Amino acid sequence: KEFGKERLLAFKQESEAERQETLIRLTFFLQQGPSYYFVKYWEGIGVCGWILVSLSFLLVLITFPFSIWMCIKIVKEYERAVVFRLGLILSKRAKGPGLILILPCTDVFIKVDLRTVTCNIPPQEILTKDSVTTQVDGVVYYKIQSAVCAVANVANVHLATYLLAQTTLRNVLGTQSLSQILSSREDIAHNIQVILDNATYQWGIKVARVEIKDVRIPVQMQRSMAAEAEATREGRAKVVAAEGEMNASRVLKQASLVLSESPAALQLRYLQTLATLATEKSSTIVFPLPMNILQGLHMSTGNKKPSH
């Protein structure tokens, strides 16, 4: 009953993964009973281990209450403590947050920070698939999900993750061309995140995010790419201008067909264009007068006779 009350109180302060682990252990404990754990722990440390633990506990009782300050340790909310008793991980799980009790001379504890860690990847010189040398740097965000795995399965979990991130970045970008690196950064970053997450799972690491910060291209390559982009823009501009001229010629053809039906409309359009030019800029405009208009005037004057 006391075990159940203590676990129920700590159950409210643990994360979701730790809650599931605690629930499994509690169910297994209720099925097997306390004698099973006592036998397993006895087989783990042996007779000499029990003697040393007993002597350490006796030393605590003799020097009480001064020894209590050596036994009580404080674990912060974002930390977990992995306790080793005679070289074995105590209860096979991390302890905390809050107060924990350890025995002097037999227990050693290691604190593990569970907060998100930012890992800056220095610029890596990479030879792309199309034989272009570039320098790419990035950043990796990860956190420790299992404190026991981070302590027991790898010597230095942060250094191992840092070196693995550099190697993975070089390997993944080496299989991509320069245009793919520049245009598909998000997809490449997601692939690197999946690879790192699968590789660091046994270390108790959860990779939250991977970002590619900068892609540095040689100056000569930048000039050639700028010239290529300028030539592409000029080609597009010429195509657009040619399409405009083609559309304008079609419209002019249709307009000429309409004007050919009425010769007077052509003359009116001609006079309207001259009026437009005169309003924009004051100048003297000399233009030929159509002969049909002069013939009409001559005929009208010839038919008139002077009156006496």
Side-chain angles (χ1 to χ4, degrees):
K1 293 182 179 179
E2 293 179 357
F3 176 80
K5 291 180 180 179
E6 293 178 357
R7 295 313 306 158
L8 184 61
L9 180 62
F11 188 78
K12 299 178 181 180
Q13 301 178 351
E14 295 176 346
S15 61
E16 186 66 25
E18 293 177 342
R19 288 180 182 179
Q20 295 179 1
E21 183 181 357
T22 304
L23 187 60
I24 294 173
R25 289 180 178 272
L26 183 58
T27 304
F28 188 75
F29 174 79
L30 294 176
Q31 293 177 355
Q32 300 294 335
S35 59
Y36 174 81
Y37 283 91
F38 180 78
V39 172
K40 295 294 290 182
Y41 189 66
W42 174 271
E43 294 176 354
I45 63 176
V47 179
C48 295
W50 273 106
I51 294 174
L52 293 176
V53 171
S54 302
L55 292 176
S56 179
F57 187 74
L58 182 62
L59 178 63
V60 172
L61 292 179
I62 293 173
T63 58
F64 188 82
F66 300 101
S67 61
I68 194 65
W69 303 108
M70 300 178 60
C71 298
I72 294 179
K73 302 297 179 181
I74 299 176
V75 180
K76 297 179 182 179
E77 180 68 27
Y78 55 84
E79 293 178 339
R80 295 296 183 270
V82 181
V83 181
F84 291 88
R85 177 166 294 174
L86 298 177
L88 300 176
I89 298 178
L90 191 61
S91 69
K92 300 300 180 181
R93 61 187 302 272
K95 296 184 178 296
L99 295 175
I100 62 173
L101 295 176
I102 64 172
L103 294 177
C105 304
T106 58
D107 292 355
V108 178
F109 75 99
I110 299 175
K111 288 184 179 181
V112 179
D113 196 335
L114 302 183
R115 292 177 294 182
T116 302
V117 180
T118 304
C119 176
N120 288 320
I121 303 176
Q124 304 292 314
E125 189 170 355
I126 299 169
L127 182 63
T128 61
K129 187 177 180 180
D130 49 355
S131 301
V132 178
T133 304
T134 61
Q135 288 186 350
V136 183
D137 57 349
V139 59
V140 179
Y141 300 93
Y142 68 92
K143 64 179 180 179
I144 297 177
Q145 192 173 17
S146 176
V148 176
C149 295
V151 173
N153 294 346
V154 61
N156 190 337
V157 63
H158 297 291
L159 180 60
T161 305
Y162 174 73
L163 296 177
L164 182 62
Q166 294 185 20
T167 306
T168 305
L169 180 65
R170 289 196 297 267
N171 293 338
V172 172
L173 295 182
T175 60
Q176 306 291 330
S177 62
L178 181 60
S179 59
Q180 292 175 346
I181 294 175
L182 296 176
S183 61
S184 304
R185 289 192 181 186
E186 294 182 358
D187 296 337
I188 296 174
H190 179 69
N191 295 335
I192 296 174
Q193 177 184 349
V194 172
I195 295 173
L196 286 177
D197 199 10
N198 295 332
T200 58
Y201 176 76
Q202 297 181 353
W203 302 343
I205 295 295
K206 175 63 178 177
V207 180
R209 191 177 182 85
V210 176
E211 291 291 342
I212 297 176
K213 294 196 299 184
D214 188 19
V215 179
R216 301 177 183 176
I217 306 173
V219 179
Q220 186 177 1
M221 180 61 65
Q222 293 180 7
R223 293 176 180 174
S224 62
M225 292 177 65
E228 181 182 359
E230 185 178 359
T232 303
R233 288 193 298 268
E234 291 179 355
R236 292 178 181 176
K238 291 181 179 179
V239 170
V240 172
E243 291 179 354
E245 291 179 358
M246 181 177 64
N247 296 331
S249 62
R250 291 177 180 176
V251 175
L252 289 175
K253 179 181 178 181
Q254 295 177 359
S256 63
L257 294 176
V258 174
L259 292 175
S260 63
E261 297 177 358
S262 176
L266 181 61
Q267 300 298 330
L268 292 175
R269 181 59 181 170
Y270 181 66
L271 295 174
Q272 184 180 4
T273 304
L274 293 176
T276 304
L277 293 175
T279 55
E280 292 180 356
K281 187 176 181 181
S282 60
S283 58
T284 302
I285 301 174
V286 179
F287 64 95
L289 188 66
M291 296 301 296
N292 52 3
I293 297 177
L294 295 177
Q295 291 177 0
L297 294 174
H298 179 71
M299 292 176 62
S300 61
T301 54
N303 292 329
K304 291 183 179 180
K305 296 180 179 180
S307 58
H308 295 280

